[in-house]
Amino acid sequence: MRIQLVSAAEHTSVVQWPLTAPLDDWQIDGMHSVMGLHRHVVRMVETGEITYVVKELPDDLAEREFRLLRTLAELGLPTAEVVGVVTERDRDDDERGHAEGLLITRHIDYSLPYRVVLSGRNLQIPYLGQRVLDALAGLLVRLHLAGVYW
């Protein structure tokens, strides 16, 4: 198993988690499901003052997302704070032949899934749709000006 933590001294609790077990099987204090639809297994873990989001996905995707989030942060762009990535876990490969890694980020306080924000479900915020579109346009401009293209 390979663990890469951005700041190991700040996130000591991570190494005590059952990192070799499938995320679906974890039974640890402070763990919750994450609201919304997800392509991969995603869980929230609350430990003291820090809340983490853990996502299980193929090793190569976990590594790529880890590097991308670090690069965006280095460029001063708004992004989730990456905590670490766990790859080469001691378990059998899944049915597609890819090992499943873990991407660990710090939860952004008061964040909501895009699906909830865009649907406006149970939200009473004036001009919500217009504000979300303005924010997304602003984010795309910031990314473009920083040299991020797709």
Side-chain angles (χ1 to χ4, degrees):
M1 177 171 56
R2 181 174 180 218
I3 302 172
Q4 299 175 70
L5 295 175
V6 174
S7 176
E10 185 179 351
H11 305 290
T12 55
S13 61
V14 170
V15 296
Q16 298 170 10
W17 296 345
L19 298 173
T20 57
L23 187 53
D24 257 343
D25 296 344
W26 287 18
Q27 298 292 321
I28 60 176
D29 291 336
M31 191 173 84
H32 310 281
S33 294
V34 176
M35 176 175 43
L37 300 174
H38 305 281
R39 195 175 299 165
H40 305 282
V41 178
V42 181
R43 297 290 181 266
M44 186 179 298
V45 180
E46 295 179 276
T47 61
E49 294 181 16
I50 301 176
T51 301
Y52 299 95
V53 175
V54 183
K55 179 167 55 169
E56 188 173 58
L57 63 167
D59 276 356
D60 58 333
L61 294 179
E63 284 276 354
R64 185 172 68 183
E65 197 163 331
F66 175 74
R67 286 190 311 271
L68 175 65
L69 291 173
R70 290 191 71 183
T71 300
L72 292 173
E74 288 168 6
L75 292 171
L77 295 168
T79 184
E81 179 186 336
V82 68
V83 171
V85 65
V86 181
T87 54
E88 302 171 20
R89 298 195 300 156
D90 296 332
R91 49 182 289 229
D92 295 332
D93 289 351
D94 68 14
E95 63 277 357
R96 295 177 310 256
H98 301 290
E100 293 289 309
L102 298 170
L103 178 70
I104 305 165
T105 58
R106 195 170 188 159
H107 181 260
I108 301 170
D109 293 336
Y110 307 106
S111 63
L112 292 170
Y114 276 118
R115 182 182 276 276
V116 171
V117 174
L118 293 175
S119 73
R121 200 172 0 147
N122 300 322
L123 299 174
Q124 303 300 320
I125 302 171
Y127 308 106
L128 176 65
Q130 182 178 350
R131 289 178 178 187
V132 169
L133 288 175
D134 286 347
L136 287 172
L139 176 60
L140 290 173
V141 168
R142 286 182 71 179
L143 289 168
H144 179 74
L145 291 174
V148 178
Y149 302 91
W150 53 91

